[in-house]
């Protein structure tokens, strides 16, 4: 070769005068896999055996619709993802609550609608069932039905009380007349027996006849005197006849005990009859 010419070692040809030889590129040798023991629990690091690294954990399951739990985790296995509805159908108690709330059944259905509605809502929360709206409607109807039943009972009770009071007032003349007849029979009994009686049947034997619905009770003190209290069918107003005053009190009293408490003779009355 001519002097001053470089030789290309890779191609066996003379290089261009004055050219700089290209740098040689070395291809990296691929790393050999680690040497593991037959059971896979140990690894040779070139100097000694060391415990083999644990395999990486499997990737977490994909979240439903991209949902992640707070903190970046995924819902636990078996639990429904938010937005999912468990395939359990509509809760039966919620349906029963709505039906009973509509039927009312004089308040009994309303009470059952409230019970079934609350239990149904609890089951819906725990089991992921449908029917929450039905249970809510049943509860609303149930509470309205109970309020209506209470109002109905109060109205009926007031009407009955008013009716009894009116009947008592209308029958007052008869009751007062019967009490005067009983007083006459007491005086007749005293004449025959030298003592007053607290037994209504004794007055009947002396000619006392009470009208329909009249009830009287007696209290005596030997031959010192007697008291008669009376009313119509034992309801409404009560009246008092006191032999010490030899008169029938014009006032009416709201209860049997009130009338008996004003008697000045004796303290033990017979049962009204």
């Amino acid at each position: 070769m001519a002097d001053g010419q470089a030789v290309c070692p890779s191609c066996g040809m003379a290089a261009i005068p004055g050219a700089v030889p290209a740098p040689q590129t070395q291809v990296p040798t691929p790393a050999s896999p680690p040497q593991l023991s037959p059971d896979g629990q140990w690894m040779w690091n070139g100097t000694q055996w060391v415990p083999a690294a644990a395999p990486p954990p499997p990737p977490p399951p994909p979240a439903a619709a991209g949902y992640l739990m707070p903190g970046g985790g995924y819902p636990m296995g078996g639990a429904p993802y938010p937005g999912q509805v468990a395939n359990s159908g509509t809760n039966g108690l919620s349906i029963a609550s709505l039906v009973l709330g509509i039927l009312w059944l004089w308040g009994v259905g309303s009470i059952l609608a409230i019970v079934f509605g609350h239990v149904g809502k609890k089951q819906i929360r725990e089991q992921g069932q449908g029917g929450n709206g039905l249970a809510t409607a049943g509860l609303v109807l149930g509470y309205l039905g109970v309020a209506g039943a209470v109002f109905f009972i109060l109205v009926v009770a007031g009407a009955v009380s008013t009716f009894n009071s009116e009947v008592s007032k209308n029958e007052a003349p008869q009751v007062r007349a019967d009490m005067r007849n009983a007083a006459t029979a007491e005086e007749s009994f005293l004449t025959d027996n030298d003592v007053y009686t607290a037994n209504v049947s004794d007055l009947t034997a002396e000619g006392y006849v009470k009208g329909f619905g009249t009830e009287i009770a007696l209290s005596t003190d030997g031959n010192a005197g007697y008291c008669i209290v009376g009313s119509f069918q034992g309801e409404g107003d009560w009246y008092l006849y006191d032999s010490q005053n030899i008169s029938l009190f014009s006032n009416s009293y709201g209860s049997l005990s009130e009338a008996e408490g004003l008697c000045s003779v004796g303290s033990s009355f017979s049962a009204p009859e």
Side-chain angles (χ1 to χ4, degrees):
M1 291 194 180
D3 295 335
Q5 290 183 336
V7 178
C8 176
S10 60
C11 57
M13 298 176 60
I16 300 173
V20 180
Q24 299 296 317
T25 302
Q26 295 183 355
V27 179
T29 304
S32 59
Q35 183 178 359
L36 299 175
S37 63
D39 57 8
Q41 298 182 3
W42 298 90
M43 179 180 66
W44 178 258
N45 65 0
T47 306
Q48 59 182 349
W49 291 97
V50 296
Y67 172 75
L68 292 177
M69 294 290 287
Y74 292 88
M76 297 179 62
Y81 292 96
Q84 286 185 323
V85 178
N87 188 20
S88 301
T90 303
N91 182 267
L93 291 180
S94 65
I95 299 175
S97 174
L98 178 60
V99 172
L100 290 171
I102 295 174
L103 293 179
W104 188 52
L105 299 178
W106 300 98
V108 177
S110 300
I111 295 174
L112 293 176
I114 293 173
V115 175
F116 289 168
H118 283 295
V119 176
K121 276 183 169 290
K122 181 179 179 182
Q123 292 181 352
I124 289 170
R125 289 192 302 268
E126 294 177 348
Q127 303 175 13
Q129 294 177 307
N132 187 65
L134 299 178
T136 301
L139 285 173
V140 172
L141 292 174
Y143 282 114
L144 290 176
V146 169
V150 172
F151 177 76
F152 177 79
I153 291 173
L154 293 177
V155 169
V156 171
V160 171
S161 177
T162 301
F163 175 77
N164 289 335
S165 179
E166 291 298 322
V167 170
S168 177
K169 290 179 181 179
N170 294 334
E171 300 297 335
Q174 172 192 305
V175 173
R176 295 166 67 89
D178 289 344
M179 292 174 67
R180 290 190 180 94
N181 292 336
T184 301
E186 278 282 13
E187 297 297 340
S188 177
F189 188 87
L190 175 66
T191 301
D192 295 339
N193 300 279
D194 197 30
V195 67
Y196 291 113
T197 180
N199 194 333
V200 176
S201 61
D202 292 339
L203 299 184
T204 303
E206 295 293 337
Y208 165 65
V209 179
K210 68 175 182 176
F212 172 78
T214 298
E215 291 188 8
I216 63 172
L218 306 174
S219 176
T220 63
D221 185 12
N223 57 9
Y226 62 91
C227 282
I228 304 172
V229 294
S231 74
F232 181 76
Q233 295 184 343
E235 300 175 349
D237 296 331
W238 285 83
Y239 302 92
L240 170 66
Y241 184 97
D242 190 329
S243 66
Q244 295 292 332
N245 297 305
I246 315 178
S247 65
L248 178 63
F249 283 31
S250 60
N251 295 334
S252 60
Y253 306 97
S255 66
L256 171 63
S257 59
E258 183 180 1
E260 291 178 346
L262 296 174
C263 176
S264 62
V265 180
S267 58
S268 178
F269 277 82
S270 63
E273 58 178 294

